[in-house]
Amino acid sequence: SIKEIMRTVQTEKRRITPTEARDGMKELMSGTTTPAQAAAFLTALQYQDLDPEVVKALAEIMLFFATPCEIPDAATLVDIVGTGGDGLDSFNVSTAAGMVITACGLRCAKHGNRSATGAVGSADFLEALGCKINLDGEQVAAAVKECGFGFLFAQQFHPAMRHVGPIRKELGFKTALNLLGPLTNPAKPELQVTGVGSKDLGRLFAELFKLRGARRALIVHSEEGLDEISPEKPTHCWFLRDGNIEELTISPADFGLPAHKLSLAQGGTPAERAALLRDIFGDKPQEKKRKASAPETVEAVKDYIIANAAAALVVAEVAPDWKTAAARCREAIDSGKALKVLEDYAAFTRRSGLDAAATKVSLQTNGAPPPITFTTRGGVTVTRTEDHVPTGPEVEALVDRLDSRKGMLMMSSYEYPGRYSRWKVGFSAPPLQITSRGSHADIKALNARGRPLLAALHAWLASPLNEAARAWVKKLDLKAGGEELAVEIKPGAVAAGLAGEEAGKFTEDERSRQPSVFSLVREVIACFSSETDPDLGLYGAFGYDLTFQFEPCRIRLERDETQRDIVLFLPDALLLVGGSELSPARRIRYEFDFNGARTHGLARETADEPYAGGPP
């Protein structure tokens, strides 16, 4: 825990290690630490020498908790972004450059946020340009596919940061988290042009990208302190390529551009900056709608954009040198291609918003379907809700809960195209449990939510209309005030002593349908089944001994009498993961109503039951 980390670091008078940084960041992102502990941890990180391995660990955990965005061919995907905080309030050049490089044939997944300092952030800038910014991962991937450009709004993709937002604001100084923006793009582009607000950070970021396996990255910091390539003064660079880091200095002349005063590219409201970009991209102002920008400003900011976009072309190896890259970027602007990227992207984002409204998928902002209500064969009214959640954090949280709660996590890592795919299914604190040994089974409500389910199952099994149940039920006994149902099963052919030729006369299907615990399993499934929902049902494990109830075996390996043939659960909440760990997980929750008994508002909890098995 952060408390233990801080106690150890203070006692041993040393820095926080990468492992401790990882563990502490996990607590921050989970929201399980106190404000005081979080503040102490962030302060300690800030006042120790920055270690690439520590920053890498922080970034990996932040990405682990991020909402995924899967964009194919990340090796050819570019992001142009700065750490921010240089205090110079310059034009949003990285966002504009992202559109220019898209017009040059590259794909850009731009990661950005609103400004926290009163300046204009990339999100504010895009909104002023007429773009919607609250796109989810699938929509951003679709935007990149259709338009070549997509924007990942940091607040949308890093919801776990809400746990530390107020603490960072109260601290009043920059922390290590301020450095993580360029390192935590959920699209994981492997080509980077990254600006840093301090020269001391240049080498650190180059080492970070190297550690993370980036193909190529250019880290920039200008002489006047910009986290961009300056339009006026030299810019220091750290160029990662082929596993080597090269330091160099570039200036506007290297791009074949004149130097412009930085003051021409500073200041302005979001609306003023949007108007300036449209002037640069050749969108003629309509009378009374927009006043044309000053020519001197247009030329200065245009060259500022060209230099930063050209750097990305060099990093992506689609231009051999700075001047050639700059010429290509200028042509992309002058030909109207960059304007088309802007207009296409703005139209795409507006259309995506309208599509979402038209399909009424509005319960969640992450594209999950609206709730549905249906009735099972056993007369249980079920309300199902579903939302999409980050896979990694949810699976990890489930694993932690299973330390002290009943439940399970099942998975398959085998994949065969067209036949098998990877998956995970998990749950904790289920309301209903079924166990059996031989011809006796117990169905138990594990919490208050299980009682309506047990009542429904008892009514289903005891119904005189249920001919299938009458064929195998020997006795039903509702006990413990309606919290447990004992079931005695009639003996089947094998259990009754039929062996050899007589048992062999049964077909495979006939043998499996002889009275057994599977008869009970079939009826439980039938009681809660419907054509509407494929996920509500029984999950658990069967023992190998069950084969003796169907086959006349002469040699048997008997287990201890305390062990059970089956342990099955009926969950009221499921976590479903299909395919890649980067794909969002589906979290499904159920509410039940049977004869007026409802689970709505009842806690989804069971009594603590610590893990009693051996070491993993």
Side-chain angles (χ1 to χ4, degrees):
S1 68
I2 285 180
K3 187 176 181 180
E4 290 299 321
I5 292 170
M6 297 312 303
R7 180 184 293 122
T8 303
V9 167
Q10 183 183 31
T11 301
E12 299 179 4
K13 299 188 182 329
R14 60 169 175 79
R15 303 187 307 172
I16 293 173
T17 67
T19 299
E20 291 168 336
R22 180 184 298 273
D23 293 342
M25 186 66 169
K26 195 178 297 182
E27 278 194 51
L28 290 183
M29 295 293 96
S30 301
T32 57
T33 186
T34 68
Q37 291 167 354
F41 180 71
L42 291 174
T43 302
L45 283 172
Q46 186 63 20
Y47 288 97
Q48 71 179 40
D49 293 335
L50 287 171
D51 179 345
E53 292 285 358
V54 167
V55 180
K56 176 174 176 279
L58 297 174
E60 285 176 346
I61 296 302
M62 186 170 166
L63 263 179
F64 182 78
F65 279 84
T67 300
C69 179
E70 292 186 81
I71 300 177
D73 302 322
T76 61
L77 196 63
V78 184
D79 188 12
I80 307 179
V81 65
T83 57
D86 60 19
L88 295 173
D89 192 21
S90 64
F91 184 81
N92 303 85
V93 68
S94 60
T95 305
M99 296 180 184
V100 173
I101 68 170
T102 299
C104 292
L106 295 177
R107 298 177 307 139
C108 179
K110 167 74 179 146
H111 188 217
N113 210 342
R114 297 195 186 279
S115 173
T117 61
V120 180
S122 52
D124 309 303
F125 184 48
L126 283 167
E127 283 185 323
L129 286 165
C131 303
K132 301 293 185 183
I133 61 171
N134 289 301
L135 273 62
D136 62 25
E138 290 184 3
Q139 290 171 322
V140 171
V144 171
K145 182 178 180 179
E146 182 174 321
C147 310
F149 179 87
F151 177 70
L152 295 94
F153 182 33
Q155 291 179 30
Q156 176 91 354
F157 283 87
H158 297 285
M161 289 296 284
R162 72 186 186 278
H163 298 304
V164 293
I167 298 165
R168 295 168 70 191
K169 188 173 182 179
E170 285 190 23
L171 284 175
F173 56 81
K174 294 179 183 177
T175 69
L177 302 188
N178 290 84
L179 304 177
L180 301 184
L183 304 168
T184 54
N185 185 332
K188 299 181 180 178
E190 294 186 22
L191 300 172
Q192 299 268 167
V193 177
T194 298
V196 292
S198 165
K199 189 175 180 181
D200 294 338
L201 297 175
R203 185 81 191 186
L204 171 72
F205 267 78
E207 295 287 355
L208 278 166
F209 284 121
K210 182 177 179 179
L211 282 171
R212 297 179 67 216
R215 283 209 309 125
R216 292 162 70 89
L218 183 71
I219 320 301
V220 299
H221 173 75
S222 80
E223 196 171 281
E224 62 267 65
L226 280 171
D227 61 346
E228 315 282 1
I229 295 173
S230 173
E232 181 179 5
K233 294 185 177 180
T235 298
H236 305 287
C237 303
W238 296 260
F239 200 164
L240 169 65
R241 46 187 166 185
D242 302 324
N244 298 312
I245 299 172
E246 174 191 358
E247 292 192 35
L248 62 151
T249 301
I250 55 177
S251 64
D254 292 306
F255 297 92
L257 301 171
H260 300 276
K261 291 182 179 180
L262 177 60
S263 58
L264 292 171
Q266 289 177 298
T269 65
E272 290 168 343
R273 296 184 185 202
L276 175 56
L277 183 66
R278 288 189 174 278
D279 286 338
I280 292 167
F281 280 1
D283 184 14
K284 301 300 180 185
Q286 297 178 14
E287 191 175 355
K288 298 181 182 180
K289 291 258 182 145
R290 190 178 89 237
K291 183 179 178 181
S293 306
E296 186 181 21
T297 300
V298 170
E299 285 306 310
V301 177
K302 180 178 181 179
D303 286 348
Y304 186 22
I305 295 169
I306 287 173
N308 282 273
L313 265 60
V314 172
V315 168
E317 298 181 283
V318 296
D321 54 63
W322 311 111
K323 285 185 178 179
T324 303
R328 284 192 59 183
C329 292
R330 184 177 297 279
E331 190 276 333
I333 294 173
D334 293 344
S335 67
K337 293 177 184 176
L339 177 62
K340 186 176 187 306
V341 171
L342 168 58
E343 298 292 13
D344 287 350
Y345 181 69
F348 177 91
T349 63
R350 293 193 295 267
R351 186 171 70 248
S352 295
L354 289 173
D355 289 346
T359 54
K360 298 183 181 179
V361 183
S362 58
L363 179 69
Q364 293 89 17
T365 59
N366 57 12
I372 57 173
T373 299
F374 57 93
T375 301
T376 72
R377 287 180 60 192
V380 181
T381 301
V382 183
T383 300
R384 166 189 166 128
T385 57
E386 176 180 336
D387 62 333
H388 296 169
V389 294
T391 296
E394 289 295 326
V395 171
E396 182 157 315
L398 172 60
V399 171
D400 289 342
R401 289 196 298 273
L402 292 177
D403 285 340
S404 58
R405 296 290 188 276
K406 287 186 175 182
M408 64 191 307
L409 177 61
M410 302 175 285
M411 67 188 73
S412 171
S413 60
Y414 182 69
E415 190 169 18
Y416 187 89
R419 180 173 291 184
Y420 303 108
S421 60
R422 301 181 184 185
W423 56 268
K424 288 186 178 73
V425 177
F427 59 89
S428 66
L432 205 66
Q433 172 185 279
I434 301 174
T435 60
S436 79
R437 176 75 183 195
S439 60
H440 179 83
D442 290 303
I443 309 174
K444 181 183 289 187
L446 299 178
N447 58 20
R449 296 176 63 86
R451 291 172 191 161
L453 304 179
L454 192 63
L457 194 52
H458 180 245
W460 174 261
L461 294 174
S463 171
L465 300 178
N466 192 339
E467 295 182 3
R470 289 209 310 272
W472 60 266
V473 172
K474 183 177 180 181
K475 182 181 179 182
L476 293 175
D477 185 12
L478 192 61
K479 302 186 294 184
E483 294 188 357
E484 186 172 344
L485 178 63
V487 183
E488 291 293 337
I489 302 166
K490 295 177 181 178
V494 174
L498 298 181
E501 285 189 22
E502 290 186 71
K505 293 176 182 177
F506 288 111
T507 65
E508 183 89 12
D509 183 65
E510 288 172 335
R511 184 180 293 116
S512 69
R513 293 193 176 275
Q514 291 299 304
S516 72
V517 68
F518 283 116
S519 305
L520 172 61
V521 170
R522 289 192 191 95
E523 290 305 311
V524 175
I525 293 171
C527 179
F528 294 103
S529 69
S530 75
E531 295 182 358
T532 305
D533 183 283
D535 301 304
L536 178 62
L538 295 176
Y539 297 79
F542 299 88
Y544 65 87
D545 306 62
L546 286 174
T547 187
F548 303 150
Q549 297 186 25
F550 303 102
E551 299 291 342
C553 301
R554 294 182 179 179
I555 301 176
R556 300 187 180 196
L557 180 61
E558 297 290 354
R559 288 186 294 148
D560 187 275
E561 284 295 329
T562 61
Q563 296 183 357
R564 294 159 292 183
D565 295 331
I566 66 168
V567 178
L568 299 176
F569 300 101
L570 189 130
D572 58 2
L574 289 167
L575 185 69
L576 306 179
V577 181
S580 168
E581 285 291 327
L582 299 177
S583 302
R586 295 161 56 215
R587 182 170 56 196
I588 298 170
R589 295 180 178 180
Y590 297 101
E591 298 293 351
F592 304 97
D593 188 334
F594 180 74
N595 287 348
R598 295 160 53 88
T599 62
H600 301 258
L602 299 178
R604 298 175 188 271
E605 275 299 336
T606 56
D608 281 2
E609 191 159 336
Y611 176 69

